[in-house]
Amino acid sequence: MSLIGVFDSGVGGLSILDEALRQLPQHDYIYLADSANAPYGEKSSDWIAARSLVLCKYLASQGCDAIVAACNTATAQAIQQIRAELAIPIIGVEPGIKPAAMQSQNGVVGVLATEATLNSDKFNALLATLPKDCRFVKQSGAGLVPLIEAGQADSAQTLELLEQHLEPILEAGADTLVLGCTHYPFLKKAIHQLLGQHITLVDTSHAVVKQLGRQLDSLNKSSAHQECGSVVFISSQDEERLLAMANDLLSHDLKSHRVSAVLLGQIS
Ligand code: DGL
């Protein structure tokens, strides 16, 4: 059995934790939400890289066998540095533009992600490897993360902002939309309301957790245990609120896990 660290700027990475608890429930998890500093997507590359490294070092110091950077923004800005500094597997999350290009019928794909992800070298290098016959309509989701952090994923204000962001994607006639930020799967209902049920939404959580499973196998850390493991929720802002949001946002029932909530003290 392993201890797996999962971190994000806030509650977005819960979309990855949800899938991890579904595929690999027998492991122990620490979910670390840096909500005091969300959103990351509008911060500088240097800040995001430095903070992500601090969080990963903290998770490693807690005994994590592997870490999931459950944040596209942190992955884009920091994953190479984190991998260079820590000797445990670090699994990142990237916008699923490649599967989206393969799934799109009309070759028009919307990509909704943070400004920092869309501007990153890593994202643009990935984009450059894809066939030129697929058109990507890139759109920053500025302002959406704070609303989701405030528990307003389904509010009228969120719907209105989302409608503005999705307009260019709708106008371009995209049949596929990449959810390039781990917060955005919590907007699936609102997105379908605005774009209709026919739009294909691409979120990479399933593939990310498969990759985590492979890494644990290679460490001989996969488990035959049947019992569910523990989940510790750590927040840099308000641990009880994080736990309440986890209960609200996760589709996985936490009842069969040992659950606790902790406030993150000063780390550096
Ligand atoms: N959930 C994160 C991502 O996947 C970060 C969003 C933010 O804090 O701006 O990019």
PDB file of all heavy atoms in Angstrom, residues 6-7 11 28 59 123-124 142 169 178 186 201 212 239 257 263-264 268:
ATOM      1  N   VAL A   6      -1.607  14.390  -3.484  1.00  0.00           N
ATOM      2  CA  VAL A   6      -2.303  15.012  -4.622  1.00  0.00           C
ATOM      3  C   VAL A   6      -2.419  16.491  -4.276  1.00  0.00           C
ATOM      4  O   VAL A   6      -2.925  16.834  -3.206  1.00  0.00           O
ATOM      5  CB  VAL A   6      -3.718  14.410  -4.799  1.00  0.00           C
ATOM      6  CG1 VAL A   6      -4.442  15.067  -5.974  1.00  0.00           C
ATOM      7  CG2 VAL A   6      -3.666  12.902  -4.985  1.00  0.00           C
ATOM      8  N   PHE A   7      -1.909  17.375  -5.150  1.00  0.00           N
ATOM      9  CA  PHE A   7      -2.036  18.794  -4.791  1.00  0.00           C
ATOM     10  C   PHE A   7      -2.576  19.627  -5.948  1.00  0.00           C
ATOM     11  O   PHE A   7      -2.466  19.282  -7.120  1.00  0.00           O
ATOM     12  CB  PHE A   7      -0.702  19.371  -4.287  1.00  0.00           C
ATOM     13  CG  PHE A   7       0.237  19.818  -5.386  1.00  0.00           C
ATOM     14  CD1 PHE A   7       0.240  21.141  -5.836  1.00  0.00           C
ATOM     15  CD2 PHE A   7       1.104  18.918  -5.966  1.00  0.00           C
ATOM     16  CE1 PHE A   7       1.095  21.553  -6.846  1.00  0.00           C
ATOM     17  CE2 PHE A   7       1.962  19.315  -6.987  1.00  0.00           C
ATOM     18  CZ  PHE A   7       1.964  20.639  -7.427  1.00  0.00           C
ATOM     19  N   VAL A  11      -9.540  23.410  -4.852  1.00  0.00           N
ATOM     20  CA  VAL A  11     -10.387  22.212  -4.889  1.00  0.00           C
ATOM     21  C   VAL A  11     -10.402  21.507  -6.249  1.00  0.00           C
ATOM     22  O   VAL A  11     -11.006  20.446  -6.386  1.00  0.00           O
ATOM     23  CB  VAL A  11     -11.845  22.545  -4.456  1.00  0.00           C
ATOM     24  CG1 VAL A  11     -11.868  23.029  -3.007  1.00  0.00           C
ATOM     25  CG2 VAL A  11     -12.499  23.571  -5.387  1.00  0.00           C
ATOM     26  N   ASP A  28      -3.525   5.085   0.633  1.00  0.00           N
ATOM     27  CA  ASP A  28      -3.745   6.250   1.495  1.00  0.00           C
ATOM     28  C   ASP A  28      -3.430   7.508   0.691  1.00  0.00           C
ATOM     29  O   ASP A  28      -2.487   7.511  -0.122  1.00  0.00           O
ATOM     30  CB  ASP A  28      -2.806   6.194   2.716  1.00  0.00           C
ATOM     31  CG  ASP A  28      -3.156   5.039   3.636  1.00  0.00           C
ATOM     32  OD1 ASP A  28      -4.357   4.717   3.751  1.00  0.00           O
ATOM     33  OD2 ASP A  28      -2.222   4.473   4.241  1.00  0.00           O
ATOM     34  N   LEU A  59       4.975  17.400   0.737  1.00  0.00           N
ATOM     35  CA  LEU A  59       4.312  16.086   0.587  1.00  0.00           C
ATOM     36  C   LEU A  59       5.336  14.955   0.683  1.00  0.00           C
ATOM     37  O   LEU A  59       5.076  13.929   1.309  1.00  0.00           O
ATOM     38  CB  LEU A  59       3.549  16.019  -0.740  1.00  0.00           C
ATOM     39  CG  LEU A  59       2.261  16.857  -0.799  1.00  0.00           C
ATOM     40  CD1 LEU A  59       1.725  16.936  -2.224  1.00  0.00           C
ATOM     41  CD2 LEU A  59       1.190  16.299   0.140  1.00  0.00           C
ATOM     42  N   PHE A 123       2.809  23.657 -22.924  1.00  0.00           N
ATOM     43  CA  PHE A 123       1.546  23.500 -23.661  1.00  0.00           C
ATOM     44  C   PHE A 123       1.773  23.785 -25.148  1.00  0.00           C
ATOM     45  O   PHE A 123       1.311  23.030 -26.015  1.00  0.00           O
ATOM     46  CB  PHE A 123       0.471  24.436 -23.088  1.00  0.00           C
ATOM     47  CG  PHE A 123      -0.796  24.439 -23.898  1.00  0.00           C
ATOM     48  CD1 PHE A 123      -1.697  23.384 -23.797  1.00  0.00           C
ATOM     49  CD2 PHE A 123      -1.074  25.476 -24.781  1.00  0.00           C
ATOM     50  CE1 PHE A 123      -2.857  23.363 -24.564  1.00  0.00           C
ATOM     51  CE2 PHE A 123      -2.235  25.458 -25.546  1.00  0.00           C
ATOM     52  CZ  PHE A 123      -3.126  24.400 -25.437  1.00  0.00           C
ATOM     53  N   ASN A 124       2.500  24.842 -25.456  1.00  0.00           N
ATOM     54  CA  ASN A 124       2.684  25.215 -26.865  1.00  0.00           C
ATOM     55  C   ASN A 124       3.574  24.228 -27.610  1.00  0.00           C
ATOM     56  O   ASN A 124       3.388  24.010 -28.811  1.00  0.00           O
ATOM     57  CB  ASN A 124       3.165  26.663 -26.967  1.00  0.00           C
ATOM     58  CG  ASN A 124       1.990  27.601 -26.654  1.00  0.00           C
ATOM     59  OD1 ASN A 124       1.011  27.644 -27.396  1.00  0.00           O
ATOM     60  ND2 ASN A 124       2.048  28.305 -25.532  1.00  0.00           N
ATOM     61  N   ALA A 142     -10.470  32.854 -17.236  1.00  0.00           N
ATOM     62  CA  ALA A 142     -10.232  33.821 -16.149  1.00  0.00           C
ATOM     63  C   ALA A 142     -11.500  34.065 -15.333  1.00  0.00           C
ATOM     64  O   ALA A 142     -12.573  34.296 -15.892  1.00  0.00           O
ATOM     65  CB  ALA A 142      -9.735  35.133 -16.741  1.00  0.00           C
ATOM     66  N   ILE A 169     -15.645  29.758 -28.812  1.00  0.00           N
ATOM     67  CA  ILE A 169     -15.568  28.318 -29.088  1.00  0.00           C
ATOM     68  C   ILE A 169     -16.841  27.862 -29.803  1.00  0.00           C
ATOM     69  O   ILE A 169     -16.802  27.114 -30.780  1.00  0.00           O
ATOM     70  CB  ILE A 169     -15.337  27.555 -27.755  1.00  0.00           C
ATOM     71  CG1 ILE A 169     -13.940  27.914 -27.205  1.00  0.00           C
ATOM     72  CG2 ILE A 169     -15.500  26.046 -27.927  1.00  0.00           C
ATOM     73  CD1 ILE A 169     -13.647  27.428 -25.817  1.00  0.00           C
ATOM     74  N   VAL A 178     -11.782  20.736 -24.622  1.00  0.00           N
ATOM     75  CA  VAL A 178     -10.807  20.226 -23.661  1.00  0.00           C
ATOM     76  C   VAL A 178     -10.950  21.004 -22.353  1.00  0.00           C
ATOM     77  O   VAL A 178     -10.871  22.239 -22.348  1.00  0.00           O
ATOM     78  CB  VAL A 178      -9.365  20.411 -24.203  1.00  0.00           C
ATOM     79  CG1 VAL A 178      -8.338  19.973 -23.163  1.00  0.00           C
ATOM     80  CG2 VAL A 178      -9.185  19.636 -25.498  1.00  0.00           C
ATOM     81  N   PHE A 186     -15.903  20.355 -12.723  1.00  0.00           N
ATOM     82  CA  PHE A 186     -17.045  20.692 -11.861  1.00  0.00           C
ATOM     83  C   PHE A 186     -18.029  21.634 -12.556  1.00  0.00           C
ATOM     84  O   PHE A 186     -19.065  21.987 -11.985  1.00  0.00           O
ATOM     85  CB  PHE A 186     -16.551  21.263 -10.527  1.00  0.00           C
ATOM     86  CG  PHE A 186     -15.710  20.279  -9.767  1.00  0.00           C
ATOM     87  CD1 PHE A 186     -14.382  20.564  -9.436  1.00  0.00           C
ATOM     88  CD2 PHE A 186     -16.223  19.031  -9.425  1.00  0.00           C
ATOM     89  CE1 PHE A 186     -13.600  19.632  -8.773  1.00  0.00           C
ATOM     90  CE2 PHE A 186     -15.447  18.087  -8.765  1.00  0.00           C
ATOM     91  CZ  PHE A 186     -14.136  18.391  -8.435  1.00  0.00           C
ATOM     92  N   LEU A 201     -16.710  16.433 -24.124  1.00  0.00           N
ATOM     93  CA  LEU A 201     -15.822  17.070 -23.145  1.00  0.00           C
ATOM     94  C   LEU A 201     -14.645  16.133 -22.854  1.00  0.00           C
ATOM     95  O   LEU A 201     -14.845  14.947 -22.582  1.00  0.00           O
ATOM     96  CB  LEU A 201     -16.584  17.383 -21.855  1.00  0.00           C
ATOM     97  CG  LEU A 201     -17.803  18.301 -22.002  1.00  0.00           C
ATOM     98  CD1 LEU A 201     -18.433  18.617 -20.641  1.00  0.00           C
ATOM     99  CD2 LEU A 201     -17.437  19.608 -22.720  1.00  0.00           C
ATOM    100  N   LEU A 212      -0.750   6.850 -12.796  1.00  0.00           N
ATOM    101  CA  LEU A 212      -0.375   6.708 -11.379  1.00  0.00           C
ATOM    102  C   LEU A 212      -0.310   5.216 -11.012  1.00  0.00           C
ATOM    103  O   LEU A 212       0.668   4.767 -10.391  1.00  0.00           O
ATOM    104  CB  LEU A 212      -1.404   7.435 -10.495  1.00  0.00           C
ATOM    105  CG  LEU A 212      -1.306   7.186  -8.988  1.00  0.00           C
ATOM    106  CD1 LEU A 212       0.015   7.714  -8.417  1.00  0.00           C
ATOM    107  CD2 LEU A 212      -2.491   7.832  -8.247  1.00  0.00           C
ATOM    108  N   GLU A 239      -9.438  24.091   6.642  1.00  0.00           N
ATOM    109  CA  GLU A 239      -9.514  22.642   6.436  1.00  0.00           C
ATOM    110  C   GLU A 239     -10.945  22.099   6.527  1.00  0.00           C
ATOM    111  O   GLU A 239     -11.301  21.147   5.817  1.00  0.00           O
ATOM    112  CB  GLU A 239      -8.564  21.910   7.393  1.00  0.00           C
ATOM    113  CG  GLU A 239      -8.959  21.849   8.858  1.00  0.00           C
ATOM    114  CD  GLU A 239      -8.716  23.136   9.650  1.00  0.00           C
ATOM    115  OE1 GLU A 239      -8.521  24.214   9.054  1.00  0.00           O
ATOM    116  OE2 GLU A 239      -8.736  23.051  10.895  1.00  0.00           O
ATOM    117  N   HIS A 257     -13.702   5.422   3.845  1.00  0.00           N
ATOM    118  CA  HIS A 257     -12.290   5.788   4.079  1.00  0.00           C
ATOM    119  C   HIS A 257     -12.163   6.433   5.468  1.00  0.00           C
ATOM    120  O   HIS A 257     -13.100   7.051   5.949  1.00  0.00           O
ATOM    121  CB  HIS A 257     -11.824   6.809   3.030  1.00  0.00           C
ATOM    122  CG  HIS A 257     -11.858   6.270   1.630  1.00  0.00           C
ATOM    123  ND1 HIS A 257     -10.756   5.746   1.000  1.00  0.00           N
ATOM    124  CD2 HIS A 257     -12.871   6.164   0.738  1.00  0.00           C
ATOM    125  CE1 HIS A 257     -11.092   5.340  -0.215  1.00  0.00           C
ATOM    126  NE2 HIS A 257     -12.375   5.588  -0.394  1.00  0.00           N
ATOM    127  N   LEU A 263      -5.082  21.848   8.993  1.00  0.00           N
ATOM    128  CA  LEU A 263      -4.707  23.159   8.448  1.00  0.00           C
ATOM    129  C   LEU A 263      -3.197  23.165   8.189  1.00  0.00           C
ATOM    130  O   LEU A 263      -2.418  22.759   9.048  1.00  0.00           O
ATOM    131  CB  LEU A 263      -5.077  24.269   9.448  1.00  0.00           C
ATOM    132  CG  LEU A 263      -4.793  25.691   8.994  1.00  0.00           C
ATOM    133  CD1 LEU A 263      -5.670  26.083   7.804  1.00  0.00           C
ATOM    134  CD2 LEU A 263      -5.008  26.667  10.146  1.00  0.00           C
ATOM    135  N   LEU A 264      -2.806  23.621   7.011  1.00  0.00           N
ATOM    136  CA  LEU A 264      -1.375  23.654   6.668  1.00  0.00           C
ATOM    137  C   LEU A 264      -0.707  24.819   7.397  1.00  0.00           C
ATOM    138  O   LEU A 264      -1.129  25.970   7.251  1.00  0.00           O
ATOM    139  CB  LEU A 264      -1.213  23.837   5.156  1.00  0.00           C
ATOM    140  CG  LEU A 264       0.211  23.824   4.612  1.00  0.00           C
ATOM    141  CD1 LEU A 264       0.836  22.443   4.737  1.00  0.00           C
ATOM    142  CD2 LEU A 264       0.234  24.264   3.150  1.00  0.00           C
ATOM    143  N   SER A 268       8.156  26.097   3.947  1.00  0.00           N
ATOM    144  CA  SER A 268       9.009  26.825   2.994  1.00  0.00           C
ATOM    145  C   SER A 268      10.021  25.867   2.393  1.00  0.00           C
ATOM    146  O   SER A 268      10.216  24.767   2.891  1.00  0.00           O
ATOM    147  CB  SER A 268       9.744  27.970   3.685  1.00  0.00           C
ATOM    148  OG  SER A 268      10.482  27.453   4.753  1.00  0.00           O
TER     149      SER A 268
END
